[in-house]
Amino acid sequence: MNAETGESSPESQPGSRSFGVRYGFALVAVALATFTWVRLLLDPVLGNQLPFPTLLFAVLLTAWYGGVRPALVAVILGVFSADYFLVTPRGSFDLTTAVQYVGLTLYLAVGCGIAVFAGIMQAARLASLRNFRKAQHELAESEERLRLTLHSSGVAVWSWDIGSNVVEADENCSLQFDLRIGQFPTSVEGFAAIGHPDDRPRVQGEIAASIEHGAEYKTESCIVRSDGEVRFLVACGKVYLDDVGRPRRVTGVTWDLTDRKSTRL
């Protein structure tokens, strides 16, 4: 993995297997297609007339594993393997009948077609995988930049899952409400309890109205820090609905308005 970009190195990508491995797979696939017990079992059925089905399967596997070029090599290896080991007279490279020449030509045509088509499909799959990983990496970078921007600006981000009554909040939420990092309440009741007592009924009513009507939520309230300082906060949120139109989640931001109020005064 690249330490600077966080992306997987080319050697770790499925389409970047070494030259020897990809072409070695072609050789092994053809050898297995020629000499395995599967081919021996099929020999009484296929005989000398149809020596190529298992070799075509080897071409397909090679295209899936190694791509177009190794698959084309498997096609060529299959020609020599079939001619020497499967086509009569076995043990020689002599083709004696027109049927054998036609069969070999058909094998070449079908094998090349399989190699090209399966190779293209594999390349498309790998390209999609690379694009997906790139998009994931870019999304992670964007999220990290956004997190750093919000953290440096002092804007707090929170989310309330209505069904499970779970509140998730970032570090800025704890800082704004004069709490230790990680000590921010995890329920909406706890969230409401840390606000100023005089603001709680109004804030709770505004949240309930926002959920009921699916409208955006915005309110201003204040808190009293442990040192007695009063801070004014603004919260904005949006209600998200589920597939049947019921309120599912409220996500919002909070920022400190105290300095701006002081300037106005």
Side-chain angles (χ1 to χ4, degrees):
M1 177 173 289
N2 190 313
E4 296 181 359
T5 64
E7 295 180 335
S8 299
S9 62
E11 290 75 17
S12 67
Q13 299 292 342
S16 299
R17 299 183 178 100
S18 68
F19 177 91
V21 170
R22 291 187 293 119
Y23 286 88
F25 186 91
L27 178 61
V28 171
V30 171
L32 291 176
T34 306
F35 301 111
T36 59
W37 61 270
V38 175
R39 183 62 181 85
L40 295 176
L41 289 177
L42 292 175
D43 198 58
V45 178
L46 301 179
N48 302 319
Q49 303 301 318
L50 296 171
F52 303 112
T54 54
L55 292 171
L56 290 174
F57 184 68
V59 172
L60 178 63
L61 287 179
T62 304
W64 169 79
Y65 183 83
V68 175
R69 293 181 180 179
L72 292 175
V73 170
V75 173
I76 301 303
L77 291 175
V79 170
F80 291 103
S81 178
D83 189 9
Y84 191 84
F85 295 105
L86 303 177
V87 177
T88 57
R90 298 185 177 184
S92 70
F93 291 106
D94 294 329
L95 297 178
T96 57
T97 67
V99 172
Q100 292 175 344
Y101 280 102
V102 171
L104 188 62
T105 302
L106 289 175
Y107 163 74
L108 279 170
V110 174
C112 289
I114 291 175
V116 172
F117 179 76
I120 290 175
M121 294 296 293
Q122 183 230 35
R125 178 180 64 85
L126 294 178
S128 297
L129 180 60
R130 286 191 293 268
N131 291 335
F132 175 72
R133 289 177 176 175
K134 181 180 178 181
Q136 278 187 318
H137 176 65
E138 292 176 347
L139 178 60
E141 284 188 334
S142 298
E143 290 178 344
E144 180 64 15
R145 286 194 295 267
L146 177 60
R147 187 189 69 80
L148 292 174
T149 300
L150 291 174
H151 183 75
S152 61
S153 68
V155 175
V157 181
W158 48 268
S159 180
W160 172 35
D161 187 296
I162 299 174
S164 60
N165 191 25
V166 173
V167 174
E168 296 180 351
D170 66 1
E171 294 180 357
N172 280 351
C173 281
S174 298
L175 297 176
Q176 285 182 357
F177 285 86
D178 195 28
L179 299 171
R180 292 182 179 180
I181 301 298
Q183 296 299 312
F184 196 83
T186 57
S187 68
V188 71
E189 291 81 10
F191 191 2
I194 61 177
H196 196 283
D198 294 341
D199 293 331
R200 289 174 193 167
R202 174 180 55 82
V203 171
Q204 290 175 335
E206 291 172 344
I207 293 176
S210 177
I211 294 174
E212 180 180 357
H213 301 291
E216 291 189 359
Y217 161 74
K218 184 173 183 179
T219 190
E220 183 178 325
S221 60
C222 62
I223 61 169
V224 180
R225 298 174 64 90
S226 58
D227 58 3
E229 180 186 12
V230 177
R231 306 292 297 183
F232 296 90
L233 304 178
V234 175
C236 292
K238 181 178 180 180
V239 179
Y240 292 88
L241 307 179
D242 59 18
D243 295 335
V244 296
R246 294 175 299 189
R248 177 177 59 89
R249 175 171 53 90
V250 180
T251 299
V253 295
T254 305
W255 66 91
D256 195 314
L257 198 65
T258 306
D259 294 338
R260 188 177 303 178
K261 280 184 171 289
S262 300
T263 301
R264 290 177 180 177
L265 295 176

